[in-house]
Amino acid sequence: MSKSLPKAERLNIRKVKELLQTAVLGRRGLYFREVTSTNDIAKDLVNESKSEGTIVFSETQMEGRGRLGREWLSPEGGLWFSVILRPKVQASHAAKLSLFASVAVAKAIHRLYGLKTDVKWPNDVLIDGKKICGILTETEIKDQKIDFAVLGIGVNADFEVQALPANIRPLTTTLKHQLRREVQREVLLSELLKDIESYYHMFEKQKFNEILEDWRRLASFLGSDIRVQTDGEIVHGLAVNIDNEGALVVRLEDGTMRNITSGSIVAISDEQHPEHVDE
Ligand code: BT5
């Protein structure tokens, strides 16, 4: 349990501060040994002055959340944190928050460890087809603009896959497992914040095409046959692209196109049809 976590295994906040290269993100942070969900704590802080960029970090979460009410398991050694953002951007762009966050995480992990990372619509980062990171973005909309967003980021960092239940292990990986060594979470967190901040600047400046292009480059499932669970049905077809709003575009077997705004990809075939991917 986190209460007995030895000091050497806790996140070293002083080291994170030394390593931090951001202007705003993570300059103010709250550290916990155990919380329900870092997103919940972050949401309570939103209305404090200068909340933008505040991060909430916890060694474990007792009620870590995924999307659509799903559970997010958060053993010790992970990087479980939330970032408060207050972009003055139209609500219609909110879906791009998770997209840019997943690109930032994928790039930082690749740069730090040389591992090949992919993104999977709408909010996952994968290594070898297995989930290394999940993102839960929660937004509040006011007057058709984003009032605040809480980016909840979970990276399976410095623990073994065996710390997770057997049923999700086949679809999951951790950095410790991939690298066969311990991971310095302080370094990882500061690099993640750097990349998230630079993509956040792009988002604020409405450079959406650049964000979407970077996302597409990392989305190796585009061009594959996929199955998507959405609104009580499974959609089967070819993953063609994401549209400018961040919806997944699937070509169905009868040739019609379907833009899916909410759902989860539940299967990706190994066979690629790259000629079908829109450039
Ligand atoms: C996500 O949901 O992937 C979003 C996860 C966001 C977690 C962060 S941690 C900090 C912040 N605080 C929170 O409470 N949440 C955020 P989704 O796409 O719905 O995926 C959830 C599914 O992933 C579950 O149903 C499991 O099958 C699987 N899963 C659960 N824990 C996992 C883990 N640690 N690693 C990989 N897969 C996991």
Side-chain angles (χ1 to χ4, degrees):
M1 296 299 288
S2 63
K3 287 184 185 66
S4 59
L5 198 62
K7 196 172 176 207
E9 289 171 26
R10 291 181 225 150
L11 189 80
N12 183 335
I13 311 287
R14 193 190 297 175
K15 194 166 170 194
V16 175
K17 284 190 177 150
E18 279 167 17
L19 292 168
L20 214 55
Q21 296 171 61
T22 53
V24 180
L25 262 65
R27 290 286 157 194
R28 179 173 177 244
L30 272 77
Y31 169 89
F32 296 90
R33 303 279 284 281
E34 181 178 296
V35 292
T36 49
S37 155
T38 55
N39 267 33
D40 291 343
I41 311 278
K43 281 199 228 166
D44 287 342
L45 297 172
V46 160
N47 290 319
E48 290 185 2
S49 69
K50 300 198 178 142
S51 64
E52 169 144 282
T54 300
I55 70 163
V56 176
F57 176 94
S58 186
E59 297 288 358
T60 58
Q61 300 183 108
M62 303 313 279
E63 293 168 31
R65 286 186 276 120
R67 294 176 306 126
L68 311 165
R70 289 190 285 245
E71 183 185 18
W72 183 259
L73 298 145
S74 316
E76 285 162 3
L79 218 50
W80 323 124
F81 67 103
S82 302
V83 185
I84 299 173
L85 300 177
R86 308 211 67 171
K88 291 166 194 62
V89 169
Q90 290 295 321
S92 57
H93 298 298
K96 289 161 203 147
L97 289 158
S98 291
L99 296 179
F100 86 62
S102 54
V103 173
V105 172
K107 287 202 159 184
I109 290 177
H110 177 66
R111 188 179 61 246
L112 270 177
Y113 309 113
L115 296 166
K116 184 180 177 307
T117 44
D118 287 328
V119 294
K120 189 178 105 178
W121 185 87
N123 66 329
D124 290 349
V125 181
L126 310 179
I127 293 177
D128 272 349
K130 296 178 176 187
K131 189 153 164 163
I132 190 84
C133 166
I135 295 163
L136 174 69
T137 302
E138 296 181 299
T139 48
E140 181 89 9
I141 306 299
K142 213 188 233 173
D143 301 329
Q144 314 212 358
K145 291 214 162 123
I146 299 172
D147 181 36
F148 71 80
V150 170
L151 287 189
I153 298 179
V155 185
N156 295 334
D158 196 28
F159 64 87
E160 297 292 351
V161 183
Q162 285 71 15
L164 295 167
N167 62 323
I168 66 164
R169 280 181 217 155
L171 302 168
T172 307
T173 192
T174 74
L175 288 172
K176 188 173 188 178
H177 175 79
Q178 290 289 327
L179 298 167
R180 311 267 189 273
R181 65 169 165 86
E182 289 183 1
V183 173
Q184 287 196 31
R185 292 182 303 160
E186 294 80 4
V187 175
L188 177 58
L189 180 59
S190 64
E191 291 291 313
L192 289 175
L193 290 171
K194 183 170 88 181
D195 284 47
I196 294 167
E197 185 169 272
S198 77
Y199 273 96
Y200 180 48
H201 287 324
M202 283 161 74
F203 180 81
E204 279 188 303
K205 290 184 189 142
Q206 320 239 353
K207 293 184 177 175
F208 301 127
N209 281 342
E210 287 175 40
I211 293 171
L212 295 174
E213 276 313 305
D214 284 358
W215 189 91
R216 287 180 186 115
R217 266 193 281 275
L218 289 166
S220 61
F221 75 95
L222 291 177
S224 297
D225 279 319
I226 57 166
R227 286 177 189 278
V228 189
Q229 171 80 56
T230 176
D231 297 335
E233 60 163 333
I234 299 267
V235 177
H236 179 202
L238 187 77
V240 175
N241 207 341
I242 47 167
D243 70 13
N244 289 339
E245 308 316 320
L248 180 64
V249 184
V250 178
R251 181 181 300 151
L252 307 182
E253 275 161 350
D254 66 4
T256 54
M257 294 292 192
R258 174 110 169 240
N259 293 36
I260 301 174
T261 52
S262 163
S264 300
I265 298 174
V266 289
I268 302 175
S269 128
D270 288 339
E271 234 174 274
Q272 281 263 332
H273 307 276
E275 71 279 11
H276 291 297
V277 179
D278 290 348
E279 289 295 341

